[in-house]
């Protein structure tokens, strides 16, 4: 479930930062970016991004390994079948 | 099919939902709408915590010493090049039709704190509280910095409180109030002479230092028996920026990104470019008030600034604090966002302050917050639906103590 929710949390936090970025340019004195709440939100966004990135890298590596394993299996199968074809 | 409609007996609903989502993900438009809704809710919650829910903040608690304000602070320098074409003052103050603002006798009597002072003296017996009774300045504090009794002796009465045709005069304070009007701008200038720097006060909304405490300028002014007041720097909207009020350091300048204005106990005002203000130095040198909003409007060599690192530069209602010499200041409020007055840009405001003769000037919170009050009434014409100015965190006031 967490894996399904975290990408949405990242989208929402990033969307909030887009809004802060623009309204901070309009009124810097209100400190929409430079305040404690926004700093905590930024921290949360960083944590979510790292967790997401680690999951993505892990999945990517797993997928690559599976592809390699499949390719290796196919190669072995071809090797195993090759002499028989030669015999024929 | 039965499994899709409802959770099977004995299985947790979350497992059933997980199974459903694994089998058939939600449509894209549902996800987009849900994310946008959640984003909106998150922003509302942020706004609630950022500037609606109030909570007191503990003061740093360091108090500056009035005697430390003797001597010259090192010269303040400009870090930015501010050359280029001069910005013309929006109005020629000398030739402009001006009208004095007479204060109502009844209202002036209401804010005259002489009775309160008498009570204070009675309570204290022979021991007068330091820096509190301006009327006694000549007798007790002549050695103190910030005593301008001799310097501006002709500006004050013998103790009589007078609502003059052009303002207010007493034994401690002389205020000249004028309204200037041109084709497209209306502004108010309060020319202030003080016998003692302790007549220059600041006050917090709800009498509390904290986040998101707000009150109307007039209400705060009435509570402290102020004769004249303008809105301050609205410190409560931010978590950072120096706050020194009436000699106490409430908040330090941890991440300096805005210009700072400091009034020292000896009556001098200095403005510092962002990043060039040292809080410890200021306190050690007798800082009495410090504001963090800006920008400063006049450079250290006395020129009106023309370029500002701000996007709030278009014409707007403005509040500015001006400094001529120790003991002599001015408050300027510019009406705006109305048919009568469009307001001023920061460069125009800087040129105006220079025209008035200020050697230092600093921009305070503007827009709907800009308001000038005197003798229990609003003098300026604040923008916004209420007509009383937006609620603010703090004010700058002149009291007759």
């Amino acid at each position: 479930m967490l894996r399904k929710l975290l990408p949405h949390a990242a989208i929402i936090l990033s969307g909030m930062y887009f809004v802060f970025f623009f309204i901070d340019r309009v009124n810097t004195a209100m400190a929409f970016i430079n305040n404690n709440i926004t700093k905590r939100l930024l921290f949360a966004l960083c944590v979510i991004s790292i967790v997401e990135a680690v999951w993505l890298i892990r999945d990517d590596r797993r997928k690559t390994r599976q592809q390699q394993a499949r390719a290796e299996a196919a190669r072995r199968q071809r090797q195993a079948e090759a002499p028989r074809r030669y015999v024929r | 099919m039965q499994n899709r409609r409802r959770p099977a007996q004995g299985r947790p609903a979350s497992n059933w939902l997980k199974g459903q989502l694994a089998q058939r993900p939600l449509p894209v438009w549902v996800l987009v709408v849900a994310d946008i809704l959640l984003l909106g809710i998150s922003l509302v919650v942020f706004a609630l915590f950022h500037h609606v829910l109030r909570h007191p903040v503990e003061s740093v608690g360091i108090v500056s010493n009035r005697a430390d304000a003797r001597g010259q602070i090192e010269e303040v320098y400009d870090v930015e090049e501010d050359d280029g074409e001069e910005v013309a003052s929006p109005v020629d103050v000398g030739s402009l039709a001006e009208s004095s603002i007479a204060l109502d006798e009844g209202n002036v009597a209401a804010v005259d704190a002489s009775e309160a002072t008498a009570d204070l003296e009675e309570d204290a017996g022979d021991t007068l509280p330091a820096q509190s009774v301006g009327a006694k300045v000549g007798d007790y504090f002549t050695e103190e910095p910030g005593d301008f009794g001799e310097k501006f002796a002709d500006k004050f009465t013998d103790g009589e409180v007078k609502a003059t045709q052009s303002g207010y005069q007493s034994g401690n304070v002389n205020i000249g109030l004028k309204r200037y009007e041109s084709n497209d701008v209306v502004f108010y200038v309060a020319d202030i002479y003080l016998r003692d720097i302790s007549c220059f006060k600041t006050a917090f909304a709800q009498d509390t230092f904290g986040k998101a405490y707000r009150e109307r300028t007039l209400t705060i002014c009435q509570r402290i028996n102020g004769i004249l007041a303008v809105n301050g720097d609205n410190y409560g909207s931010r978590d950072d920026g120096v706050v020194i009020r009436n000699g106490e350091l409430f908040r330090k300048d941890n991440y300096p990104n805005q210009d700072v204005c400091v009034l020292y106990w000896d009556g001098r005002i200095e403005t510092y470019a962002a990043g060039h203000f040292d809080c410890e130095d200021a306190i050690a040198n007798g800082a009495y008030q410090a504001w963090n909003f800006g920008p400063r409007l006049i450079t250290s060599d006395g020129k009106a600034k023309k370029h500002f690192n701000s996007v709030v530069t278009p014409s707007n209602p403005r509040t500015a604090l001006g400094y001529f010499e120790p003991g002599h200041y001015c408050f300027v409020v510019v009406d705006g966002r109305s048919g009568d007055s469009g307001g001023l840009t920061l460069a125009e405001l800087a040129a105006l302050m220079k025209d008035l003769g200020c050697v230092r000037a600093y921009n305070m919170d503007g827009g709907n917050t800009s308001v000038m009050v005197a003798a229990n009434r609003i003098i300026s014409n604040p923008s916004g639906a209420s007509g009383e100015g937006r609620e603010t965190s703090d004010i700058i006031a002149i009291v007759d103590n």
Side-chain angles (χ1 to χ4, degrees), chain B residues 146-335:
Chain B
D147 169 12
F148 316 109
E150 281 183 27
K151 188 177 173 186
F152 301 125
D154 58 323
K155 301 287 179 189
F156 310 113
T157 65
D158 295 334
E160 183 193 359
V161 175
K162 288 197 290 189
T164 64
Q165 278 303 306
S166 58
Y168 177 96
Q169 195 179 16
S170 76
N172 301 311
V173 174
N174 183 321
I175 299 170
L177 273 175
K178 281 183 179 154
R179 178 181 188 271
Y180 293 87
E181 186 172 353
S182 74
N183 288 338
D184 54 359
V185 67
V186 176
F187 62 93
Y188 308 82
V189 179
D191 190 26
I192 303 156
Y193 290 90
L194 302 177
R195 176 183 284 274
D196 189 87
I197 195 64
S198 61
C199 296
F200 195 119
K201 289 278 184 202
T202 48
F204 294 135
Q206 315 279 339
D207 212 13
T208 308
F209 175 68
K211 177 92 175 164
Y213 284 91
R214 291 186 189 89
E215 226 174 350
R216 296 220 189 277
T217 300
L218 181 60
T219 313
I220 309 175
C221 182
Q222 284 171 331
R223 191 174 54 245
I224 63 164
N225 285 325
I227 302 154
L228 171 77
V230 291
N231 61 285
D233 64 355
N234 212 356
Y235 78 90
S237 298
R238 303 174 295 279
D239 292 324
D240 199 34
V242 67
V243 178
I244 301 174
R245 297 299 144 88
N246 303 323
E248 181 176 351
L249 175 64
F250 283 87
R251 192 168 71 187
K252 283 187 177 179
D253 197 27
N254 294 319
Y255 304 99
N257 58 359
Q258 286 182 288
D259 296 355
V260 174
C261 177
V262 182
L263 167 64
Y264 291 92
W265 275 110
D266 61 5
R268 280 176 310 105
I269 283 184
E270 281 297 357
T271 53
Y272 299 84
H276 288 81
F277 170 71
D278 189 317
C279 201
E280 276 79 21
D281 269 6
I283 286 289
N285 287 312
Y288 176 50
Q289 315 279 358
W291 299 273
N292 185 268
F293 194 89
R296 64 213 177 99
L297 302 168
I298 293 179
T299 60
S300 53
D301 56 354
K303 290 179 186 164
K305 273 172 66 79
K306 299 177 283 288
H307 305 294
F308 299 92
N309 185 23
S310 167
V311 291
V312 201
T313 49
S315 294
N316 268 307
R318 303 280 179 189
T319 299
L321 167 64
Y323 164 71
F324 301 101
E325 59 184 317
H328 186 195
Y329 313 93
C330 72
F331 295 163
V332 175
V333 167
V334 182
D335 286 345

Side-chain angles (χ1 to χ4, degrees), chain A residues 20-33:
Chain A
F20 296 154
F21 179 78
F22 287 111
I23 58 178
D24 191 67
R25 288 177 66 84
V26 173
N27 193 349
T28 317
M30 286 292 284
F32 287 109
I33 287 185

Side-chain angles (χ1 to χ4, degrees), chain A residues 20-69:
Chain A
F20 296 154
F21 179 78
F22 287 111
I23 58 178
D24 191 67
R25 288 177 66 84
V26 173
N27 193 349
T28 317
M30 286 292 284
F32 287 109
I33 287 185
N34 189 18
N35 69 75
N36 290 336
I37 304 169
T38 319
K39 283 173 195 165
R40 287 189 190 117
L41 290 175
L42 181 62
F43 179 76
L45 179 59
C46 291
V47 170
I48 289 170
S49 302
I50 288 170
V51 171
E52 282 288 304
V54 167
W55 271 339
L56 189 69
I57 292 166
R58 193 190 63 179
D59 285 0
D60 199 37
R61 284 168 60 85
R62 187 179 288 168
K63 203 181 286 178
T64 308
R65 272 203 300 269
Q66 282 171 353
Q67 282 172 349
Q68 282 175 343

Side-chain angles (χ1 to χ4, degrees), chain B residues 334-394:
Chain B
V334 182
D335 286 345
R337 298 177 185 170
S338 70
D340 293 338
S341 179
L344 292 183
T345 65
L346 280 175
E348 287 170 339
L349 181 66
L352 171 64
M353 298 305 280
K354 173 74 183 150
D355 256 23
L356 289 170
C358 298
V359 294
R360 295 284 185 274
Y362 190 76
N363 181 54
M364 295 291 173
D365 194 9
N368 290 355
T369 315
S370 267
V371 62
M372 181 183 284
V373 303
N376 288 327
R377 69 183 172 97
I378 295 171
I379 298 292
S380 62
N381 188 19
S383 58
S386 71
E388 296 176 18
R390 186 167 43 204
E391 292 186 332
T392 185
S393 306
D394 62 314

